Amino acid sequence: MRLHRWFLLPALLGLSMPLLAEPALTTRVQQFDVQGNTLDTIRASLNRDRQHSASRVDWHFTWESTPGQCRLSSASTEVSVTSHMPRLLPDATRPASVQQQWDSYLLALQAHQDGHVELALDYARQIEQALLALPPQTSCEQLSQSANAAGQRLLNAMGSADREYDKRTQHGTLEGATFP
């Protein structure tokens, strides 16, 4: 019987600690048209109409207030991603080899975009962890300011990590996201 008590103790202690939730993820793909039937005409169209994708992380929290103390009782994060992806318009005169190069490029570009999404999700998790780790404050206004400062600090770090990811991969080129 004693073995069961030791087994249940960590489970019971875990119930009193806030559980981290997976960030809510909303993705939106905005396609822009690219046209051409040769590598050069497609590249020119792609360069002319290219747009950059964007990620946004929002955080929410609630608190419990007692006389002289305010502590966070819950925190959650939401990630919104808008990906701008090229759509190659059909062209009956386009050689199959050009279409195959496009298809490979598009797969690699999607994989690169997925890397940006994973970065945003990782930082959203870090924001939630940082919020839940905040110590109680003497007022809920102070707690709110501390929580928002922690979230903003990590959001700024996410922006730096996102730029570093693009630099490290040469905006996906080193991952195969280059046409031609």
Side-chain angles (χ1 to χ4, degrees), residues 14-86:
L15 292 176
S16 65
M17 299 174 65
L19 297 175
L20 295 176
E22 187 63 17
L25 174 63
T26 303
T27 58
R28 192 170 123 206
V29 176
Q30 289 186 329
Q31 292 186 314
F32 60 96
D33 293 338
V34 175
Q35 53 191 348
N37 63 353
T38 67
L39 297 176
D40 290 338
T41 57
I42 294 169
R43 166 53 56 204
S45 180
L46 184 61
N47 288 344
R48 187 174 46 252
D49 299 322
R50 172 174 279 145
Q51 300 173 33
H52 294 283
S53 299
S55 301
R56 176 183 166 135
V57 176
D58 294 306
W59 56 89
H60 311 279
F61 50 86
T62 58
W63 60 71
E64 294 175 353
S65 180
T66 58
Q69 182 174 305
C70 188
R71 71 173 188 84
L72 250 62
S73 55
S74 71
S76 63
T77 54
E78 297 173 2
V79 175
S80 301
V81 179
T82 300
S83 296
H84 296 274
M85 295 293 289

Side-chain angles (χ1 to χ4, degrees), residues 17 21 27 33 59 70 75 86 99-100 102 105 116 123 130 148-149 157 161:
M17 299 174 65
T27 58
D33 293 338
W59 56 89
C70 188
Q99 184 65 49
Q100 287 172 344
W102 176 261
Y105 161 71
H116 284 289
Y123 275 88
N148 286 322

